[in-house]
């Protein structure tokens, strides 16, 4: 949950407030509430804070361990979209750093890089035993029963990735996919952390539609270049640059796969121009578009070879298709796998059912007639 949905925020309470204070806050809020839906929400919030296990969820997504004034100062600034500084995170425990950064992403505080960095750095330091001790310190001040089972903290920690994805979607929506992709690429130093890997996988799914659209635009621009070369080449260059930005974070851990298909399409267009006697245009397209793949060594190596061949008047070599068993050879391939046993299918003669039916009718006639 984010701050505005947290029972502590709804009632204006903190983790050090007593049960009596919870009742007082509820009455104050109910007196000001006008709609029945709002009143039910407030009563639900008070009920959650009075139940030990339910309360642990509200504590987990709050800022426990801080004085009430300091916690609410950070929370109000976050919810209101005001800027948070690196110094705001220095004295916070790992859980509070992650929760504050998540809310910063969700409520659009602007310093997205700071928030993502805090999440990647602090996430693996959230230890259930330490978090439970943090909760219990505030519960003692409030005179409440202590949380004795750290499994409840582990349960709430398993919900963090869901909230991280939701907050990252909001951040990407506010700043645009290209800028968000560049930011993930900047944080490649944290690529071994769980949050970065989760964000990268989530971005792959988030950007899928835009990447597919750009690939279709690239196909169109390359076909346009066949008829109107300058316009098509300019459009292809702009499209490739946009696709390059979206692919950058996806390639950090997984190689060049997002750019493999665009690279093959560009090479095919260059070879097609060359084969149609438009060698100068083929060279110009290669010199303009192939250097855009310089971030990926396997593609760059082939691109440099193509440009060298064309500069020497030699046609670029066509792409070799990867070898492998064809569909017609699949049965013979399977037969060579020891674990797979090919048993001969048992077939029953077609006349057998009719023979059995005839036998039953004969017996019926003999017995009853």
């Amino acid at each position: 949950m984010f701050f505005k949905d947290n029972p502590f925020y709804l009632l204006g309470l903190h983790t050090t407030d007593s049960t009596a204070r919870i009742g007082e806050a509820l009455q104050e809020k109910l007196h000001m509430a006008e709609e029945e839906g709002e009143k039910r929400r407030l009563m639900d919030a008070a009920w959650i804070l009075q139940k030990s296990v339910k309360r642990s969820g509200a504590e987990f997504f709050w800022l426990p361990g801080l004085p009430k004034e300091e916690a609410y100062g950070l929370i109000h600034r976050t919810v209101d979209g005001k800027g948070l500084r690196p110094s705001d995170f220095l004295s916070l425990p790992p859980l509070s750093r992650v929760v504050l950064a998540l809310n910063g992403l969700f409520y659009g505080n602007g310093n997205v890089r700071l928030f993502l960095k805090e999440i990647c750095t602090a996430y693996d330091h959230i230890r259930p035993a330490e978090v439970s001790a943090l909760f219990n310190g505030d519960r003692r001040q409030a005179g409440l029963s202590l949380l004795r089972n750290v499994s409840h903290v582990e349960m709430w920690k398993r919900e963090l990735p869901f909230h991280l994805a939701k907050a990252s979607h909001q951040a990407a929506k506010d700043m645009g996919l290209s800028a968000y992709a560049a930011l993930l690429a900047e944080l490649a130093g944290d690529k071994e952390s769980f949050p970065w890997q989760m964000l990268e996988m989530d971005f792959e799914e988030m950007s899928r539609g835009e990447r597919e659209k750009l690939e279709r635009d690239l196909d169109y621009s390359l076909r346009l270049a066949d008829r109107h070369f300058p316009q098509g080449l300019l459009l292809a260059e702009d499209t490739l640059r946009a696709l390059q930005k979206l692919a950058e974070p996806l390639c950090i851990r997984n190689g060049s796969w997002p750019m493999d298909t665009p690279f093959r399409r560009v090479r095919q267009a260059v070879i097609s121009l060359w084969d149609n006697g438009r060698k100068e245009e083929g060279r110009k397209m290669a010199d303009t578009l192939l250097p855009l793949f310089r971030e990926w060594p396997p593609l760059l190596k082939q691109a440099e070879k193509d440009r060298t061949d064309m500069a020497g008047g030699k046609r670029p070599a066509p792409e070799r298709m990867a070898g492998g068993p064809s569909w017609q050879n699949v049965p013979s391939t399977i037969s060579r796998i020891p674990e797979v046993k090919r048993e001969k299918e048992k077939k029953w003669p077609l006349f057998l059912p009719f023979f059995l039916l005839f036998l039953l009718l004969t017996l019926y006639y003999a017995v009853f007639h």
Side-chain angles (χ1 to χ4, degrees), residues 11 14 75 92 131 135 191 208 252 281 342 364:
L11 295 172
H14 188 50
I75 290 166
L92 300 180
V131 172
F135 294 172
K191 66 181 180 180
R208 187 188 304 276
I252 290 174
E281 291 180 345
R342 302 180 66 193
Y364 176 81

Side-chain angles (χ1 to χ4, degrees), residues 309-323:
D309 289 344
M310 296 177 76
K314 183 179 176 182
R315 178 183 183 273
E319 181 180 9
R320 294 182 179 181
M321 300 300 293

Side-chain angles (χ1 to χ4, degrees), residues 117-136:
K117 183 67 177 175
E118 286 291 337
I119 292 169
C120 291
T121 302
Y123 185 92
D124 291 332
H125 297 283
I126 299 175
R127 298 179 175 87
E130 296 177 2
V131 172
S132 181
L134 195 66
F135 294 172
N136 287 336

Side-chain angles (χ1 to χ4, degrees), residues 200-341:
E200 188 256 1
M201 289 187 292
D202 189 55
F203 177 76
E204 178 185 345
E205 187 63 31
M206 195 191 314
S207 64
R208 187 188 304 276
E210 183 64 19
R211 287 185 287 113
E212 290 176 350
K213 176 182 177 297
L214 288 172
E215 287 186 7
R216 292 193 296 270
D217 290 347
L218 179 62
D219 285 342
Y220 170 78
S221 62
L222 293 175
R223 290 196 299 270
L224 179 63
D226 191 49
R227 296 186 176 184
H228 306 284
F229 183 77
Q231 296 91 333
L233 182 60
L234 182 62
L235 180 60
E237 183 179 7
D238 290 342
T239 304
L240 266 180
R241 290 188 186 279
L243 192 56
Q244 180 186 35
K245 291 178 180 178
L246 293 183
E248 191 174 2
L250 304 180
C251 298
I252 290 174
R253 288 178 54 85
N254 302 309
S256 61
W257 69 266
M259 298 301 291
D260 286 345
T261 299
F263 181 72
R264 288 197 300 270
R265 290 172 179 170
V266 170
R267 286 194 77 239
Q268 289 170 1
V270 169
I271 294 173
S272 177
L273 289 173
W274 186 276
D275 291 342
N276 290 332
R278 301 163 65 181
K279 296 184 178 181
E280 286 302 320
E281 291 180 345
R283 290 192 187 96
K284 186 173 182 180
M285 179 177 285
D287 291 340
T288 302
L289 301 183
L290 291 181
L292 296 178
F293 297 92
R294 59 183 174 273
E295 299 294 333
W296 301 279
L299 303 183
L300 178 62
K301 182 179 179 180
Q302 181 64 56
E304 292 301 321
K305 183 179 184 304
D306 290 343
R307 295 175 67 195
T308 301
D309 289 344
M310 296 177 76
K314 183 179 176 182
R315 178 183 183 273
E319 181 180 9
R320 294 182 179 181
M321 300 300 293
S326 64
W327 286 111
Q328 292 81 359
N329 294 330
V330 167
S332 62
T333 304
I334 291 178
S335 67
R336 294 196 296 272
I337 303 176
E339 292 79 4
V340 178
K341 295 181 180 180

Side-chain angles (χ1 to χ4, degrees), residues 83-123:
L84 293 173
R85 302 177 297 272
S87 58
D88 293 327
F89 292 87
L90 291 179
S91 61
L92 300 180
L95 173 61
S96 295
R97 296 173 77 152
V98 171
V99 169
L100 187 62
L102 279 175
N103 281 273
L105 285 177
F106 185 74
Y107 291 112
N109 278 248
N111 201 345
V112 178
R113 190 185 190 285
L114 169 65
F115 302 142
L116 291 178
K117 183 67 177 175
E118 286 291 337
I119 292 169
C120 291
T121 302
Y123 185 92

Side-chain angles (χ1 to χ4, degrees), residues 154-206:
E154 294 171 348
M155 175 181 67
W156 298 117
K157 185 178 179 180
R158 286 194 290 270
E159 286 197 10
L160 269 179
F162 167 76
H163 292 85
L164 176 56
K166 189 173 181 180
S168 68
H169 288 180
Q170 186 62 44
K173 180 181 177 182
D174 292 342
M175 66 189 305
L177 282 176
S178 295
Y180 186 69
L183 194 53
L184 286 180
E186 284 182 29
L187 297 173
D190 297 305
K191 66 181 180 180
E192 300 303 326
S193 68
F194 169 77
W196 192 93
Q197 294 176 25
M198 199 219 78
L199 289 169
E200 188 256 1
M201 289 187 292
D202 189 55
F203 177 76
E204 178 185 345
E205 187 63 31
M206 195 191 314

